Amino acid sequence: MSDTAATLTQDRQKLEMAALSAPAVIFTVAMIAFPVIYTVWLGFQTFSSTGKQSFAGLANYSKLISDYEFWHGLWITIALFVLSLVLQLVFGVWLALVLFHAKRLPGIVRSLFISPFMMPPVVAGMMWLVILDPSLGAANYILQLFGLPPSDWLASPIWVIPTVALIDSWQWTPYVALIVLGGLQSLPPSVYEAAQIDGASPFKTFQRITLPLLLPTIVTAAILRSVDLLRFFDIIYITTQGGPGNASNTLNIYGFRVGFEFFNIGYASALMLTLTAIVFGAVLAFNRLRGAVAW
Amino acid sequence: MTDAANTDRWIRWLNTVQLVIAGVLIMAPTVWMVLSSFKPSFEVTAYPPTLIFSPTLDNYVELTRTTPFLSYALNSLIVTVGSTALGLLFGIPAAFAVSWTRISWPAILTLAARMAPGTLFLLPWYVMFRQVGMIGSYTALILSHAVITLPIVIWVLLPSFDGIPRSVFEAAQVDGCSVTRILWRIALPLVASGVAVSAILAFVFSWNYFLFALVLSNGDTKTLIAAAFNFIGEGSTQWGALMAAATLIALPPLVLAALVQRWLVSGLTLGAVKG
């Protein structure tokens, strides 16, 4: 084959490759890239009650700084994020260790373990709404059996965030566990054998050897969960819509309500762009952490 | 020696106990939901809660009688199948091109939807779709849900395409096959199981997705998930019907997920973890 013919086929190949990714790229630009740019523009607009829009400069952002609901929403978002993440990582690692030592895991058991995070979060919300009902729910009955005082759960301004964190952790702890289990299974068995020969206790082995080797996997699980936790929506919207009062009004819920209940699209855009910046910031921070614990 | 064997047995027993506790905690709420859906109406709200009862289908009958459950289900099916098909149509060629050329930005671009809050897209979509009168249309719902399915298809298929030896393609190229032909005739049959997994995951996540249909659907196109509010409204006194609705909505994703449970976790992490 001559040189010109070779470059000709190469050029044709490049063109064909571009044509193959074109539909996905065009779709993503049309449905994501362009709308996000449009949101940036909307963030500089103000919408009157009649739906008329006009340029407002940075008014939405200066409003955000002095908006009590924004800071409250940020606090709720971070509280829910930290609480859920800690619960899911701690119990996820525990569950992974239990599953790892069970050796043989039949498919049916695996299916049962994935069932919480494969069901729609909305269904999880409906289900827990009934279980956690303050007067007739099964949860309070079980508390009573153990002589514990009943709780108002989702109806309590103080307990609503821990309760939502508990529901989300019920859903996603098995997911974290299966990721960590994958990490455990890929560790070289030789490190355990060496520790055993040295006479290290199981706890010491875990603390000094297993945990440090698992850290990159755990951080990966943390990244995947953080992205969902910082934009928490479904379970709260189906159970409390941000209530009681504003006790579970996370930034995502607040932004949604500003946009689609009060139709203040401009201010909602400013809120959502801020939340997006927070999510990307958290991912970047975790990525650095993953680099630091890599081995 | 017997001491060590004893400790060993003790540890194994302790592990089994923990496994059972975890299993009960994970399964109990779902089992409770399904049980409640079969309880006679007076027993659903019985206090103390009852475990033994004579099962009935009344709640399911009540559900289909008092709500347009079946037409919501049909809407869910249309939106989910449509967006899964669109995700596969756009995602398969894109994943192949990314795997072949190692130019990964098209794949990374689609990941933005996995990270940004959905409301960020929903606000401009709402304004845009309203201008062209598409709010409430199946097209708007399918397009919005394809934003969920496309990254799933691309990222689940990437490792599958990467796993095909290059020599297979090079041989086909020497024979004068065009790239498109290589994809459809040679590569695709080799990654058929990957395509199945990606289709099922895309289906599950599109089916489960709440936010977009909440705003972009109307009374005629409302999906099951977006209609959940209606069931809660109905169910304030009718827990049985509410739990019947919850059980039916959760059934398709749970059955499908059980089929692919082995490949599910590596697929869900979008390539971040090889499980």
Side-chain angles (χ1 to χ4, degrees):
Chain A
M1 208 184 282
S2 73
D3 270 7
T4 41
T7 41
L8 210 71
T9 10
Q10 264 187 351
D11 280 353
R12 221 194 76 178
Q13 210 186 84
K14 264 188 200 151
L15 214 66
E16 278 186 287
M17 283 300 171
L20 287 180
S21 0
V25 170
I26 291 169
F27 176 80
T28 310
V29 167
M31 288 298 284
I32 297 177
F34 172 69
V36 169
I37 294 166
Y38 189 45
T39 314
V40 173
W41 184 77
L42 285 172
F44 295 121
Q45 306 287 311
T46 178
F47 290 76
S48 73
S49 50
T50 52
K52 272 229 160 61
Q53 71 184 72
S54 52
F55 188 73
L58 288 170
N60 285 322
Y61 292 91
S62 61
K63 180 180 173 184
L64 187 136
I65 289 169
S66 58
D67 181 6
Y68 167 79
E69 279 298 334
F70 165 73
W71 293 105
H72 173 77
L74 184 62
W75 154 241
I76 296 290
T77 303
I78 290 172
L80 180 60
F81 162 68
V82 172
L83 202 56
S84 309
L85 193 63
V86 168
L87 276 175
Q88 290 167 29
L89 290 183
V90 168
F91 284 101
V93 170
W94 165 71
L95 188 54
L97 288 169
V98 172
L99 290 173
F100 183 62
H101 290 294
K103 300 290 179 217
R104 238 167 38 82
L105 209 58
I108 180 78
V109 174
R110 229 174 211 276
S111 296
L112 295 180
F113 271 74
I114 60 172
S115 65
F117 62 89
M118 280 290 102
M119 76 165 52
V122 167
V123 167
M126 294 159 88
M127 181 173 101
W128 282 99
L129 206 56
V130 167
I131 294 173
L132 297 173
D133 187 86
S135 50
L136 297 171
N140 273 348
Y141 177 73
I142 292 168
L143 282 186
Q144 245 180 1
L145 283 185
F146 289 98
L148 295 165
S151 168
D152 278 344
W153 305 110
L154 293 161
S156 151
I158 298 163
W159 288 106
V160 63
I161 287 301
T163 305
V164 170
L166 220 57
I167 298 176
D168 192 72
S169 300
W170 170 79
Q171 257 208 303
W172 291 96
T173 296
Y175 172 70
V176 173
L178 289 177
I179 293 175
V180 175
L181 180 64
L184 274 171
Q185 285 164 341
S186 67
L187 292 186
S190 54
V191 293
Y192 298 109
E193 285 153 20
Q196 245 165 12
I197 290 167
D198 289 349
S201 72
F203 182 72
K204 265 259 148 59
T205 315
F206 174 73
Q207 189 197 3
R208 295 284 173 79
I209 297 169
T210 319
L211 196 60
L213 288 176
L214 268 185
L215 270 184
T217 315
I218 295 174
V219 174
T220 301
I223 294 176
L224 291 161
R225 285 313 298 138
S226 303
V227 166
D228 285 339
L229 286 169
L230 287 169
R231 49 178 194 170
F232 207 102
F233 187 86
D234 293 17
I235 292 175
I236 293 181
Y237 201 72
I238 203 74
T239 54
T240 68
Q241 289 108 60
N246 60 3
S248 59
N249 215 10
T250 60
L251 274 187
N252 203 9
I253 298 273
Y254 181 48
F256 178 85
R257 296 178 65 190
V258 167
F260 298 110
E261 283 176 24
F262 310 123
F263 290 100
N264 192 344
I265 304 278
Y267 187 43
S269 300
L271 282 169
M272 277 307 122
L273 286 165
T274 310
L275 177 57
T276 307
I278 292 171
V279 176
F280 277 80
V283 170
L284 287 179
F286 272 122
N287 243 335
R288 291 212 127 178
L289 183 62
R290 182 162 57 177
V293 298
W295 41 277
Chain B
M1 196 61 206
T2 43
D3 250 20
N6 265 339
T7 332
D8 213 44
R9 196 183 307 163
W10 170 244
I11 286 176
R12 196 169 296 174
W13 185 79
L14 204 67
N15 201 62
T16 311
V17 169
Q18 293 183 75
L19 196 63
V20 170
I21 291 175
V24 168
L25 286 176
I26 289 169
M27 286 312 298
T30 313
V31 170
W32 187 250
M33 167 180 81
V34 177
L35 281 182
S36 299
S37 77
F38 290 112
K39 282 182 180 176
S41 55
F42 60 90
E43 277 198 83
V44 184
T45 48
Y47 197 89
T50 49
L51 267 176
I52 294 155
F53 57 92
S54 47
T56 162
L57 284 173
D58 286 358
N59 296 317
Y60 290 90
V61 176
E62 175 81 5
L63 181 69
T64 47
R65 204 176 52 77
T66 56
T67 67
F69 190 89
L70 290 177
S71 61
Y72 292 150
L74 187 65
N75 290 337
S76 270
L77 207 61
I78 291 170
V79 172
T80 306
V81 170
S83 61
T84 304
L86 205 58
L88 288 170
L89 188 70
F90 292 170
I92 291 173
F96 179 69
V98 167
S99 167
W100 183 308
T101 59
R102 310 257 158 235
I103 301 168
S104 55
W105 66 263
I108 291 166
L109 187 69
T110 63
L111 262 195
R114 176 72 182 80
M115 286 166 64
T119 318
L120 182 73
F121 313 123
L122 194 54
L123 289 163
W125 288 348
Y126 175 75
V127 176
M128 287 153 53
F129 283 136
R130 195 181 49 182
Q131 263 158 14
V132 292
M134 274 169 66
I135 304 271
S137 68
Y138 288 124
T139 315
L141 286 167
I142 289 172
L143 284 174
S144 68
H145 276 231
V147 167
I148 313 293
T149 59
L150 183 62
I152 294 176
V153 171
I154 290 180
W155 286 88
V156 170
L157 280 181
L158 261 180
S160 307
F161 279 128
D162 285 346
I164 302 175
R166 287 262 152 168
S167 52
V168 174
F169 298 146
E170 277 153 14
Q173 265 185 309
V174 171
D175 289 348
C177 267
S178 73
V179 171
T180 317
R181 219 180 135 82
I182 293 176
L183 166 60
W184 296 112
R185 290 292 167 81
I186 299 169
L188 206 55
L190 289 174
V191 298
S193 63
V195 173
V197 173
S198 71
I200 286 179
L201 278 179
F203 185 99
V204 168
F205 277 83
S206 177
W207 179 275
N208 289 359
Y209 204 81
F210 181 42
L211 182 63
F212 298 157
L214 208 52
V215 171
L216 296 179
S217 70
N218 62 20
D220 294 329
T221 55
K222 196 170 264 186
T223 59
L224 274 178
I225 298 277
F229 274 120
N230 304 26
F231 305 132
I232 291 178
E234 303 275 341
S236 54
T237 51
Q238 289 288 344
W239 279 4
L242 176 62
M243 291 297 92
T247 304
L248 287 178
I249 298 173
L251 203 59
L254 289 186
V255 169
L256 286 173
L259 291 178
V260 293
Q261 41 94 4
R262 198 190 303 258
W263 303 277
L264 196 120
V265 171
S266 58
L268 273 181
T269 53
L270 301 183
V273 177
K274 307 241 185 290

